[in-house]
């Protein structure tokens, strides 16, 4: 590019500072993109690509978008994973000679969005910063710029850090320059790989620098006063996030004023697989909210509430007191149906105060935003009145947090018109009576317009030209327009200004005088209104702390109201939560499946789990019987209770769990495309390593991904481990279609057998969906295959093969299968096998027989019975 224009030189210089962003270069009414940026943007935005210096051999591709409708273009680029650097003219072009000075005023990245148009209302938009410390310690900080939420924690080990990152579900991840993805621990690498990764310079990750950034932002003298003294790496991650924010946002971020330091142990731990399997916030197959637990429970009225509910379900509690507080609040709102309905009515009229607060704080809010703030605040006094008589501690504290912010509401009411225009630069925003000077200027402008109308009438009379019009035009100002046919009657004192096809335009001295006055006033009005608006916005921004607290209170209130609403509609009950090791559920239902109304009535089931006799429930039964549904329902009820929700059951007692683990057999999560046996085993290994006696484990069809003998063996050994290992010994639901596993209960005291009742009828199977004590005697695979519409011949042939196989197992496979070094009973009776249940029964029956009281007839009958048995 031998002959660069000065403008191009300026462009290239600015662009060199933002190599990984698409540079929007402001030129007049357009943002232009050049070179590679233009090629990318033209394709994604579907806009015309042209070029400068056409045909010169030095062509520069470029494209552009109009500045006033730039938002959707930015949104589209961000959506496709790009960053956009906005470069503005920072001097008035009229007052500069040569080239206008330009600067990048902010960089928009996926994790730092604030525009309402680009954000899903019911989802947070997080940037997550990771920092690896010493001893495999990980600092994690995450923030939602649009709402001001900022959290930090520290975790030990890559898997724990990855689990947390998955839970946060960030839009963008920040790592240090030079941190190679390949060097990250496997779990983290897997998580980060397909995400948008941004980099901060390596020097940022330094103690003193990050400490000063964090203390500065949160107005603290030291990290200690923020509760960060035990989290050196968390502090660095938080500082790196703030650095990145400042670099890109380049404006004050007053609404980020609180840093929440948390420990993982404060919440019910759910590993990523469990979150997925239980479909807590998204369905497994499509990743949709609809069909998940969240989708089923969300009856919130505001987006703040919707986001908060998602957080409560993602981070259920483990502390008894806070759980009980939520439950009391829901109970009170459930009982007070009238109050609840009125609260809903008020909440529905409240806008997203968190995000409004963010936009106001970052000076990107318009008149409509302020007015939305006003209209929302207006509803708060009534809402507080409704809350005031309520008794539960949590509702009382929310009532105190929710602040009507009267003076702000008054300020906006007095200052901003009821329906302000979108633009901030063209006036019409500030209400009459707010500012004297503005009112005067408006009077002048109004008078001037009246004068113009009078002047027009006067000139028509004077010239006798009835088609004479006074027109206004941005470039030439006011003029008198006379059509060509009337030119003969134009008076002497008219001064010609402009010639059109059919008319001439003139001015007079009188018109010119007024023009100056009116236009002067109008310019001044726009300027003054803009200044006044900014002042009002700043006054509101100065209260961002109070607004944030109010928004926070409203979000929680909305969730509690929504939980009460759902509990009422679906007949949920209040769980009794305690620190026991029991989980006792009467008539429990699966919240999501029950609400889907699939035609089949949902059959409720009981559960009894504890650390003593009912530690492991071994649930056997055919495929499609309802095992998975049952186990998930127990896990979901536990999770709901710890999130503070009522539960779908007639009664429930939940001894708080520290973790919930679920492992779902390979066949059940094909959707992930990774249903390898290896993955299944890795997840199971993780469970056995991390589970505690306070945990709840759901093992669904473990070992299904391999051959039958392998599978049974692994499942068997895993169940034994959970039962026998004192540090593990978790409450466990163990489902398997290997009915052989029911034998375990005979050797392990805390294992209880359950099965899903089925009725056999005409060689068919009918699922009753009831969980009953006992075990299944068959897998019924062939019957299920018949239900699925397999051809008759295949079914018949399968039966034949099954028959042969089963005989084969009896003859040679079985004894080897059940033998164990440890199991005493096996050593005592070398004949014992899994599959000899008939012989067992025979033996038992004979043992019970008391010959001294048996009549000959009874003996004969017994003989007949025994014969049938074999
Ligand atoms: P399994 O794990 O035993 O193969 P699932 O739990 O996947 O069986 O359930 C099979 C089907 O039965 C599911 O589609 C579900 O809708 C239905 N189902 C399960 N439990 C019940 C129940 N308690 N009441 C009614 N329908 C149920
Ligand atoms: Mg299943």
């Amino acid at each position: 590019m031998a002959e660069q224009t000065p403008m191009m030189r300026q462009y290239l210089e600015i662009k060199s500072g933002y190599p990984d962003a698409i540079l929007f270069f402001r030129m007049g009414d357009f943002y232009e993109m050049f070179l590679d940026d233009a090629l990318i943007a033209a394709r994604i935005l579907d806009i015309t690509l042209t070029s400068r210096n056409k045909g010169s051999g030095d062509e520069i591709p470029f494209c552009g978008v109009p500045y006033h409708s730039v938002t959707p273009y930015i949104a589209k680029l961000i959506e496709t994973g790009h960053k956009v650097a906005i470069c503005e003219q920072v001097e008035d072009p009229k007052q500069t000679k040569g080239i206008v000075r330009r600067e990048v005023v902010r960089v928009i990245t996926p994790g730092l969005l604030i525009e309402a148009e680009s954000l899903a209302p019911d989802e947070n938009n997080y940037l997550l910063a990771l920092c690896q410390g010493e001893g495999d310690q990980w600092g994690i900080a995450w923030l939602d710029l649009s709402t001001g939420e900022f959290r930090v924690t520290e975790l030990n080990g890559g898997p724990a850090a990855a689990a947390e990152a998955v839970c946060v579900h960030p839009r963008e991840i920040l790592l240090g320059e030079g941190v190679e993805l390949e060097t990250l621990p496997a779990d983290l690498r897997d998580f980060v790989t397909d995400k948008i990764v941004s980099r901060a310079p390596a020097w940022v990750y330094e103690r003193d620098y990050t400490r000063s950034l964090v203390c500065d932002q949160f107005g603290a003298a030291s990290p200690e006063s923020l509760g960060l003294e035990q989290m050196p790496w968390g502090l660095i991650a938080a500082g790196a996030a703030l650095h990145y924010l400042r670099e890109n946002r380049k404006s004050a971020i007053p609404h980020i004023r609180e840093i929440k330091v948390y420990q993982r142990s404060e919440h019910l731990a759910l590993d990523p697989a469990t979150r997925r399997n239980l479909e807590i916030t998204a369905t497994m197959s499509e990743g949709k909210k609809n069909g998940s637990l969240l989708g089923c429970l969300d009856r919130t009225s505001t987006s703040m509430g919707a986001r908060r509910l998602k957080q409560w379900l993602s981070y259920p509690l483990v502390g008894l007191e806070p759980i009980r507080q939520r439950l009391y609040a829901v109970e009170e709102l459930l009982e007070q149906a009238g109050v609840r309905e009125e609260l809903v009515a008020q909440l529905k009229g409240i806008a997203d105060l968190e995000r409004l607060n963010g936009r106001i704080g970052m000076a990107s809010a318009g008149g409509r935003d302020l007015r939305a703030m006003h209209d929302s605040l207006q509803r708060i006094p009534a809402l507080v009145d409704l809350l005031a008589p309520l008794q539960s501690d949590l509702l009382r504290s929310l009532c105190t947090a929710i602040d009507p912010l009267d003076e702000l509401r008054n300020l906006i009411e007095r200052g901003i018109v009821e329906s302000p225009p979108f633009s901030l630069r063209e006036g019409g925003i500030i209400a009459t009576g707010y500012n004297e000077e503005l009112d005067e200027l408006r009077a002048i402008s109004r008078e001037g317009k009246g004068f113009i109308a009078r002047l027009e009438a006067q000139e028509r009379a004077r010239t006798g030209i009835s088609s004479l019009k006074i027109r206004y035009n941005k470039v030439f100002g006011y003029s008198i327009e006379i059509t060509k046919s009337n030119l003969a009657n134009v008076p002497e004192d008219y001064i010609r200004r402009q010639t059109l096809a059919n008319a001439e335009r003139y001015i007079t001295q009188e018109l010119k005088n007024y023009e100056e006055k009116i236009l002067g006033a109008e310019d001044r009005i726009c300027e003054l209104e803009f200044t006044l608006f900014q002042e009002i916005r700043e006054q509101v921004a100065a209260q961002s702390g109070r607004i944030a607290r109010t928004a926070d209170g409203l979000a929680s209130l909305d969730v509690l109201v929504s939980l009460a609403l759902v509990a009422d509609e679906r007949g949920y009950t209040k769980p009794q939560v305690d620190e026991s090791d029991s989980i006792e559920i009467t008539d429990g239902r699966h919240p999501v499946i029950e609400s889907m109304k699939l035609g089949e009535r949902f059959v409720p089931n009981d559960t009894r789990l504890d650390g003593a006799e009912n530690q492991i429930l071994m649930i056997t039964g055919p495929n499609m019987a309802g095992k998975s549904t049952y186990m998930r329902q127990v896990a979901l009820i536990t999770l709901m209770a710890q999130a503070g929700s009522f539960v779908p059951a007639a009664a429930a007692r939940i001894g708080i769990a520290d973790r919930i683990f679920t492992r779902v057999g390979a066949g059940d999560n094909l959707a992930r495309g990774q249903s390898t046996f290896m993955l299944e085993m890795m997840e199971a290994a993780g469970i056995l390593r991390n589970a505690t006696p306070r945990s709840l484990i759901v093992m669904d069809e473990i070992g299904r991904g391999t051959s039958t003998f392998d599978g049974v063996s692994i499942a068997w050994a895993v169940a034994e481990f959970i039962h026998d290992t004192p540090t593990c010994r978790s409450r466990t639901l163990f489902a398997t279609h290997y009915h052989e596993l029911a034998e375990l209960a005979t050797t392990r005291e805390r294992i209880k057998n359950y099965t899903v009742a089925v009725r056999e009828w005409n060689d068919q199977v009918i699922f009753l969906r009831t969980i009953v004590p006992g075990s299944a005697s068959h897998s019924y695979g062939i019957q299920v295959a018949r239900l699925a519409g397999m051809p008759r011949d295949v079914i018949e042939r399968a039966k034949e093969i099954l028959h042969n196989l089963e005989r084969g197992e009896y003859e040679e496979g079985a004894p080897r299968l059940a033998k164990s070094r440890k199991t005493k009973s096996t050593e005592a009776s070398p004949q014992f096998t899994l599959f000899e249940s008939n012989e067992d029964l025979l033996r038992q029956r004979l043992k019970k027989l008391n010959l001294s009281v048996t009549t000959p007839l009874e003996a004969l009958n017994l003989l007949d019975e025994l014969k049938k048995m074999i």
Side-chain angles (χ1 to χ4, degrees), residues 121-410:
D122 56 356
E123 272 176 45
N124 280 105
N125 191 61
Y126 292 121
L127 169 80
L128 179 136
L130 271 173
C131 159
Q132 179 169 26
E134 285 152 21
D136 208 14
Q137 198 70 10
W138 290 84
I140 291 191
W142 40 291
L143 70 99
D144 182 339
L145 179 62
S146 69
T147 65
E149 183 186 359
F150 198 122
R151 290 178 196 259
V152 60
T153 192
E154 220 171 272
L155 294 152
N156 189 261
E164 190 60 24
V166 170
C167 182
V168 172
H169 196 61
R171 186 84 175 271
E172 180 179 355
I173 297 164
L174 183 66
L175 290 174
E177 201 73 70
V179 176
E180 302 285 344
L181 296 192
E182 301 81 65
T183 64
L184 293 176
D187 296 58
L188 267 178
R189 190 186 52 228
D190 288 352
F191 172 71
V192 171
T193 300
D194 55 345
K195 303 284 183 309
I196 297 165
V197 176
S198 298
R199 304 287 185 162
W203 62 262
V204 168
Y205 293 76
E206 193 259 327
R207 183 136 317 160
D208 288 343
Y209 175 66
T210 47
R211 162 202 288 262
S212 72
L213 273 184
V214 171
C215 291
D216 188 38
Q217 178 68 37
F218 300 105
S222 69
E224 286 71 47
S225 56
L226 295 169
L228 273 165
E229 65 275 21
Q230 302 296 342
M231 290 193 185
W233 315 109
L235 176 68
I236 291 180
L242 283 175
H243 170 88
Y244 186 69
L245 192 51
R246 291 195 173 184
E247 282 297 294
N248 289 306
R249 186 69 215 177
K250 296 178 194 284
S251 73
I253 35 173
H255 67 298
I256 298 189
R257 39 193 316 132
E258 204 191 339
I259 183 165
K260 292 202 176 107
V261 181
Y262 70 101
Q263 307 271 359
R264 195 170 70 157
S265 56
E266 288 163 28
H267 300 110
L268 170 64
L270 301 156
D271 57 281
T274 301
R275 288 178 193 281
R276 223 173 25 244
N277 293 336
L278 292 181
E279 308 194 295
I280 299 173
T281 57
T283 58
M284 205 156 18
S285 51
E286 293 176 73
K288 294 242 172 69
K289 170 174 169 178
N290 214 338
S292 69
L293 178 66
L294 175 63
C296 152
L297 294 184
D298 187 0
R299 294 289 301 274
T300 54
S301 309
T302 68
S303 347
M304 301 180 279
R307 293 194 298 267
R308 179 64 49 89
L309 177 61
K310 186 174 180 184
Q311 291 178 350
W312 282 19
L313 293 179
S314 302
Y315 287 94
L317 305 173
V318 290
L320 183 56
E321 200 39 44
I323 296 174
R324 283 191 173 157
Q325 286 209 4
R326 285 187 188 173
L327 289 170
Y328 282 132
V330 175
E331 185 174 36
E332 193 168 22
L333 291 167
L334 178 72
E335 283 164 1
Q336 306 266 354
V339 175
R340 189 179 70 229
E341 272 164 34
E342 286 179 56
L343 282 172
V344 168
Q346 295 302 335
L347 284 167
K348 283 209 185 303
I350 294 181
D352 193 339
L353 294 187
E354 280 177 336
R355 284 189 169 153
L356 282 176
N357 197 25
R359 289 205 294 279
I360 292 170
M362 289 179 283
S364 83
R368 293 176 185 182
D369 289 326
L370 285 189
R371 202 62 210 194
M373 172 71 75
H374 166 273
D375 296 350
S376 304
L377 293 179
Q378 202 162 29
R379 297 187 169 257
I380 291 187
L383 194 138
V384 169
D385 283 349
L386 286 166
L387 278 181
L390 301 185
Q391 296 294 316
S392 65
D393 288 349
L394 182 54
L395 290 174
R396 291 176 73 90
S397 77
L398 292 181
C399 184
T400 348
I402 298 171
D403 184 341
L405 294 151
D406 283 330
E407 65 300 349
L408 283 193
R409 190 179 48 76
N410 278 329

Side-chain angles (χ1 to χ4, degrees), residues 593 598 600-603 605 622-629 769:
I593 296 184
L598 292 173
E600 189 180 340
R601 194 182 66 86
F602 195 89
V603 180
N605 273 302
N623 279 316
M624 279 305 285
K627 303 182 297 296
S628 302
T629 307
R769 312 285 185 218

Side-chain angles (χ1 to χ4, degrees), residues 826-850:
T826 321
E827 283 157 20
S829 67
Q831 287 298 310
F832 174 86
T833 82
L834 270 181
F835 305 103
E836 278 179 336
S837 48
N838 278 352
E839 286 174 32
D840 270 354
L841 288 175
L842 204 88
R843 199 174 289 131
Q844 278 170 21
R845 191 73 184 86
L846 280 173
K847 253 190 204 156
K848 270 198 224 149
L849 184 69
N850 185 349

Side-chain angles (χ1 to χ4, degrees), residues 588-590 593 596 598 600-605 621-633 668 700-701 704 735 756 767-770:
R589 286 116 54 198
H590 189 297
I593 296 184
M596 291 198 296
L598 292 173
E600 189 180 340
R601 194 182 66 86
F602 195 89
V603 180
N605 273 302
N623 279 316
M624 279 305 285
K627 303 182 297 296
S628 302
T629 307
Y630 173 69
M631 296 195 301
R632 282 190 171 84
Q633 122 192 351
D668 276 5
D700 195 353
E701 305 279 10
R704 188 154 76 177
V756 195
F767 301 119
L768 301 180
R769 312 285 185 218
T770 338

